[in-house]
């Protein structure tokens, strides 16, 4: 039997826009202050789940005003390898504010994004054949990505130099770190220490890996304060506990084998995307009751979580609720 998905959306009274979706049917529950939550069930493989995840990505895109800005660069402080590449980016992006994304995959990269939907990527490669290679592609939502490759015998040190140069030159409104714990395992702590030396706080991070170890993830989160979003796309031990207690806009946890009911209650956030957690139907029922009585997650905006016993949904709804006619369309955020 496939595990099903529970989705809880807060209803809003407004016209459809880029931040809203139409809702049909579902099961309504009400919080004691009048806020309504609507619950739907779906299968994980269903396209609707994928669409909801896509909506989540759109909601987290920063809204940036486009302004013409002149950037003065002291090229004497930059590597000659990237001098030409930075000039190319400045010719295509005239925004005074940028988003920085750094990635520690096999070809570590630094990505810059302006409000013109233009992405500029620099990848460090150990493959000499790729040195100087350039690739341009267009993606969904009119996004344009220019990718350049730079060869180096020491890809991590070259990547660090590139990250440092980018931070010295540009004013970033957001810092995103995609951390692959398996790619350079002997350098993971060096990478964290390096990022901390440049900025002790980042907006978003995403963890990836196959090695089931908590150490590198814990070191990252104990040394870098994350303010908006954390994604766990790797398996951690059942003993893992999220070490930060600040409020975040969102969590993605897949798999959530470590996320017990008590740990879920301690997470502070607005949006949760949870797969493969051990949380039972009885615990989901208690979670909803606590939410309805404003005893937990009062800022909850969206919840997606697996259901381990689809045959006993009645257990979850042992609480006041109302089933909505599927022919009735409403607007949900």
């Amino acid at each position: 039997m496939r595990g099903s998905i529970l989705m809880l959306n807060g209803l809003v009274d407004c016209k459809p826009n880029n931040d809203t979706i139409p809702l049909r049917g579902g099961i309504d529950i009400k919080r004691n202050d009048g806020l309504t939550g609507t619950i739907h069930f779906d299968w994980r493989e269903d396209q609707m789940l994928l669409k909801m995840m896509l909506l989540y990505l759109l909601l987290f895109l920063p809204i940036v005003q486009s302004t013409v800005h002149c950037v003065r660069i002291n090229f004497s402080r930059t590597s000659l390898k990237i001098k030409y590449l930075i000039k190319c980016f400045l010719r295509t992006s005239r925004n005074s504010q940028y988003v920085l994304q750094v990635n520690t995959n096999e070809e570590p990269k630094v990505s810059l994004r302006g409000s013109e939907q233009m992405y500029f990527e620099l990848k460090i490669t150990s493959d000499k054949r790729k040195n100087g290679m350039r690739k341009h592609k267009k993606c969904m939502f009119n996004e344009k990505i220019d990718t350049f490759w730079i060869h180096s015998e020491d890809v991590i040190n070259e990547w660090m130099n590139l990250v440092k140069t980018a931070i010295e030159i540009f004013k970033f409104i957001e810092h995103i770190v995609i951390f692959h714990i398996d790619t350079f395992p002997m350098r993971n702590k060096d990478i964290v220490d390096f990022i901390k030396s440049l900025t002790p706080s980042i907006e978003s991070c995403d963890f990836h890996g196959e090695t089931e170890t908590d150490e590198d993830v814990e070191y990252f989160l104990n040394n870098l304060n994350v303010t908006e979003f954390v994604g766990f796309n790797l398996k951690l031990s059942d003993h893992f506990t999220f070490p930060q207690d600040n409020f975040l806009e969102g969590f993605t946890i897949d798999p959530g084998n470590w996320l017990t009911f008590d740990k879920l209650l301690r997470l502070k956030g607005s949006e949760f995307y949870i797969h493969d957690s051990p949380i039972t139907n009885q615990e989901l029922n208690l979670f909803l009751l606590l939410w309805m009585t404003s005893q937990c997650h009062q800022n909850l905006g969206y919840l997606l979580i697996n259901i381990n016993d689809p045959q006993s949904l009645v257990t979850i709804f042992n609480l006041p609720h109302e089933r909505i006619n599927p022919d009735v369309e409403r607007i949900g955020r």
Side-chain angles (χ1 to χ4, degrees):
M1 175 68 69
R2 296 178 297 176
S4 58
I5 299 295
L6 179 150
M7 294 180 287
L8 172 64
N9 289 281
L11 289 182
V12 294
D13 183 17
C14 61
K15 296 180 180 180
N17 55 49
N18 289 336
D19 295 332
T20 62
I21 58 170
L23 293 177
R24 287 186 177 272
I27 300 173
D28 277 5
I29 60 175
K30 287 188 178 294
R31 201 164 67 182
N32 55 6
D33 61 359
L35 180 65
T36 299
T38 297
I39 295 173
H40 288 86
F41 295 95
D42 220 325
W43 301 108
R44 182 170 185 177
E45 296 83 4
D46 190 270
Q47 188 176 3
M48 181 63 177
L49 174 60
L50 296 176
K51 180 179 180 181
M52 294 300 294
M53 294 293 285
L54 177 62
L55 177 62
Y56 163 76
L57 294 176
L58 289 175
L59 287 173
F60 272 86
L61 286 178
I63 300 174
V64 182
Q65 295 295 325
S66 178
T67 58
V68 177
H69 184 74
C70 179
V71 180
R72 297 182 62 184
I73 300 174
N74 181 2
F75 280 117
S76 64
R77 300 178 62 190
T78 67
S79 166
L80 291 177
K81 288 183 178 181
I82 66 172
K83 178 179 178 179
Y84 167 75
L85 304 179
I86 291 177
K87 283 184 175 180
C88 289
F89 178 65
L90 292 176
R91 282 200 298 267
T92 56
S93 178
R94 299 179 178 274
N95 198 296
S96 62
Q97 295 178 313
Y98 302 91
V99 173
L100 173 68
Q101 177 177 295
V102 298
N103 191 320
T104 64
N105 56 8
E106 291 184 359
E107 292 184 334
K109 68 179 179 180
V110 176
S111 302
L112 311 177
R113 185 181 79 219
S115 63
E116 299 91 350
Q117 296 297 82
M118 170 63 73
Y119 290 76
F120 183 78
E121 296 182 341
L122 287 168
K123 291 187 176 183
I124 310 301
T125 180
S126 59
D127 187 348
K128 292 182 178 180
R129 296 170 299 178
K130 291 185 177 181
N131 189 45
M133 189 170 71
R134 177 179 180 178
K135 182 178 181 180
H136 177 79
K137 64 180 179 180
K138 293 183 179 180
C139 302
M140 296 176 64
F141 312 112
N142 295 319
E143 294 175 339
K144 300 176 182 178
I145 302 177
D146 264 323
T147 305
F148 295 83
W149 278 262
I150 298 174
H151 169 261
S152 176
E153 296 296 335
D154 188 340
V155 294
I156 285 297
N157 281 343
E158 185 72 16
W159 173 82
M160 288 180 176
N161 290 333
L162 181 56
V163 174
K164 184 177 180 181
T165 299
I167 289 180
E168 289 175 348
I169 293 174
F170 296 98
K171 176 184 178 182
F172 293 109
I173 60 170
E174 184 176 357
H175 303 78
I176 302 170
V177 178
I178 301 177
F179 195 53
H180 294 259
I181 66 170
D182 296 336
T183 313
F184 304 98
M186 303 304 294
R187 301 295 304 274
N188 282 342
K189 290 186 178 180
D190 293 338
I191 292 170
V192 173
D193 293 341
F194 166 73
I195 296 173
K196 183 179 180 180
S197 71
L198 299 176
T199 172
S201 179
I202 61 175
E203 283 71 29
S204 303
C205 67
D206 227 340
F207 296 100
H208 297 263
E210 299 294 333
T211 305
E212 296 182 19
T213 177
D214 302 348
E215 182 180 356
D216 289 324
V217 175
E218 289 174 340
Y219 188 81
F220 185 105
L221 293 171
N222 284 325
N223 284 275
L224 290 169
N225 183 46
V226 185
T227 62
E228 293 185 9
F229 170 82
V230 175
F232 295 100
N233 300 285
L234 75 176
K235 187 173 183 179
L236 299 166
S237 77
D238 293 345
H239 302 292
F240 178 79
T241 298
F242 185 66
Q244 300 185 12
D245 62 356
N246 52 304
F247 179 87
L248 298 178
E249 291 296 326
F251 288 88
T252 296
I253 304 173
D254 185 10
N257 57 289
W258 57 272
L259 190 67
T260 62
F261 179 69
D262 289 339
K263 292 177 182 178
L264 173 61
L265 291 182
R266 290 198 294 268
L267 291 182
K268 299 176 182 178
S270 174
E271 301 192 5
F272 296 87
Y273 298 78
I274 301 166
H275 296 287
D276 298 327
S277 77
I279 293 174
T280 66
N281 286 18
Q282 290 83 357
E283 290 170 332
L284 281 176
N285 169 262
L286 179 56
F287 179 88
L288 296 177
L289 285 170
L290 291 173
W291 178 82
M292 293 170 69
T293 54
S294 299
Q295 296 183 64
C296 79
H297 292 78
Q298 295 188 44
N299 294 312
L300 182 66
Y302 183 84
L303 171 68
L304 183 151
I305 188 169
N306 61 290
I307 296 173
N308 287 311
D309 187 5
Q311 302 302 319
S312 301
L313 297 182
V314 64
T315 302
I316 299 175
F317 290 101
N318 184 21
L319 46 74
H321 64 275
E322 177 185 2
R323 295 185 180 274
I324 305 301
N325 189 325
D327 294 330
V328 176
E329 181 175 291
R330 298 171 295 169
I331 300 301
R333 185 179 296 276

